[in-house]
Amino acid sequence: MEYKATLLQHEDIERMLTRIAHQIIEKNHGTDRLCLIGVRTRGIPLARRLSERIAAIEGVSVPVGELDITLYRDDLSTVARIPWVYGSKVDFDIEGRTVVLVDDVLFTGRTARAALDAVMELGRPAKIQLCVLIDRGHSELPIRANFVGKNIPTSLDEAIAVRLTETDDEDAVKIYRK
């Protein structure tokens, strides 16, 4: 892939996460029965950062879980002959809670669909909301995010790479040509 540009840097991502944290609190009228579940890989550190911001704003700790959607993907046979499964870590009951699924990029909607299936196997939440740092368009399913850091329209010959210090040693959103 050919590097095109850096679209967002650390400060931009931090501002977006602060804004999203406020939106989550406002939409849900506080934090009662709220939890965040990050989709592996980059959704997990984003969910943790959002939880920290919500705690700073509301003074309440919101639980964070980790979701591995590998076995729920509709393209599992094309990903790898033997897929690597990390497993989910959700150490709290989601029954009757508002679950905010957190991911880095919304593209076709297929990852979000797999995440919905995985969450429903954990229990029956009161509602599920989707939060993404970047919505790049091209949805193939009737899925849209409740909370979006930034809409970045892209062509199909482009790729968006979200990089986070927890996984990539830097905070940035970059665009590449395939």
Side-chain angles (χ1 to χ4, degrees), residues 34-165:
L34 183 70
C35 65
L36 304 172
I37 299 180
V39 178
R40 187 168 303 278
T41 296
R42 288 168 187 82
I44 295 168
L46 289 171
R48 287 184 183 135
R49 290 188 197 185
L50 284 168
S51 179
E52 290 168 5
R53 279 169 177 73
I54 291 169
I57 297 164
E58 291 289 297
V60 176
S61 179
V62 175
V64 176
E66 302 178 3
L67 194 64
D68 183 350
I69 62 157
T70 304
L71 296 177
Y72 298 89
R73 294 176 59 106
D74 62 4
D75 63 350
L76 183 59
S77 62
T78 64
V79 172
R81 209 169 69 86
I82 302 174
W84 189 263
V85 179
Y86 292 91
S88 297
K89 279 198 332 197
V90 180
D91 301 330
F92 48 88
D93 188 9
I94 67 164
E95 200 76 27
R97 285 185 179 265
T98 295
V99 173
V100 179
L101 281 173
V102 182
D103 203 4
D104 57 349
V105 177
L106 178 58
F107 180 31
T108 63
R110 293 180 183 275
T111 296
R113 189 225 31 99
L116 288 168
D117 289 348
V119 165
M120 294 307 288
E121 285 216 2
L122 297 174
R124 191 170 195 277
K127 70 176 107 166
I128 301 173
Q129 299 168 342
L130 178 61
C131 170
V132 296
L133 190 65
I134 304 297
D135 183 344
R136 62 172 287 197
H138 305 288
S139 182
E140 296 174 359
L141 302 172
I143 291 175
R144 69 181 186 97
N146 302 89
F147 311 102
V148 177
K150 187 163 183 73
N151 288 293
I152 301 177
T154 60
S155 69
L156 291 173
D157 71 341
E158 293 174 320
I160 294 284
V162 172
R163 300 183 51 81
L164 301 173
T165 54

Side-chain angles (χ1 to χ4, degrees), residues 25-26 138 162 169:
I25 295 164
E26 183 177 343
H138 305 288
V162 172
D169 297 323

